[in-house]
Amino acid sequence: SVAFAQARKSAAAQATLLARTMQVDQHARLRLETSVRKDMAEGSATQQELDCVRAAKLDFVLDVYARAILATLSSEDITRAIAFYASKEGQGFLKHSIAQELRTPEAAAPELTVAEQASLTKFLSTSVGKKILAGSVLETVESRTSIARGLLALTTKCQALSP
């Protein structure tokens, strides 16, 4: 029915909004940039490759996560997760997470503020917080494989542009 189709479209839009709010595309870009910078230091990548990676659209990452979100989270869960990740504390947690992921072993781990820690603890006590952060429901073999395939295609394209 039309109502079902509209509800499905709305749910898909909400799932995409959550993926965007979680900055999954930006996290993927930063991981890829870090990899290319490492390759540049080793002489196996160029500035042109890094510029290509920086300029590339990573909509496929948003799409993969949106599909995983839609398949695993209820509409209520998605709304709760958007509220957390869109909050000041949720954004602080995202910055902290990416800094943690990209830091070198000898670098000190960045700390969450008291408010960020309290908000994160509260979110982790919810079913959706447990699913996303503790259960890693969005990190499926299928999603990791799809993203890896897309990043490989992008890297190959960027390497081809390099002299």
Side-chain angles (χ1 to χ4, degrees), residues 17-27 30-31 81-82 84-102 110 112 116 120 123 132-133:
L17 177 60
L18 175 55
R20 187 167 274 124
T21 305
M22 291 174 70
Q23 302 174 8
V24 295
D25 54 335
Q26 296 309 311
H27 287 215
L30 286 170
R31 285 191 296 273
I82 290 169
F84 169 71
Y85 286 107
S87 71
K88 179 182 172 200
E89 293 79 14
Q91 290 294 301
F93 167 70
L94 289 170
K95 284 186 179 104
H96 169 81
S97 296
I98 197 69
Q100 282 277 86
E101 192 174 319
L102 297 179
L112 288 171
E116 289 165 351
L120 176 60
F123 184 63
I132 292 174
L133 296 173

Side-chain angles (χ1 to χ4, degrees), residues 10 14-16 24 29 33 44 74 83 98 107 132 137 140 146 150 152:
S10 174
Q14 285 295 98
T16 300
V24 295
R29 181 183 315 284
E33 282 181 24
S44 62
S74 69
I98 197 69
I132 292 174
V137 296
T140 64
S146 293
L152 179 61

Side-chain angles (χ1 to χ4, degrees), residues 39-120:
D39 290 347
M40 285 172 67
E42 296 169 359
S44 62
T46 65
Q47 182 64 45
Q48 290 89 341
E49 286 176 57
L50 183 60
D51 293 343
C52 176
V53 165
R54 285 181 173 154
K57 285 202 166 285
L58 297 182
D59 290 346
F60 70 90
V61 175
L62 288 171
D63 293 343
V64 167
Y65 273 92
R67 284 194 304 274
I69 288 165
L70 204 51
T72 57
L73 301 178
S74 69
S75 177
E76 188 177 294
D77 282 345
I78 293 170
T79 300
R80 282 194 179 121
I82 290 169
F84 169 71
Y85 286 107
S87 71
K88 179 182 172 200
E89 293 79 14
Q91 290 294 301
F93 167 70
L94 289 170
K95 284 186 179 104
H96 169 81
S97 296
I98 197 69
Q100 282 277 86
E101 192 174 319
L102 297 179
R103 76 182 175 92
T104 56
E106 60 277 357
E111 295 294 321
L112 288 171
T113 66
V114 172
E116 289 165 351
Q117 185 61 55
S119 184
L120 176 60

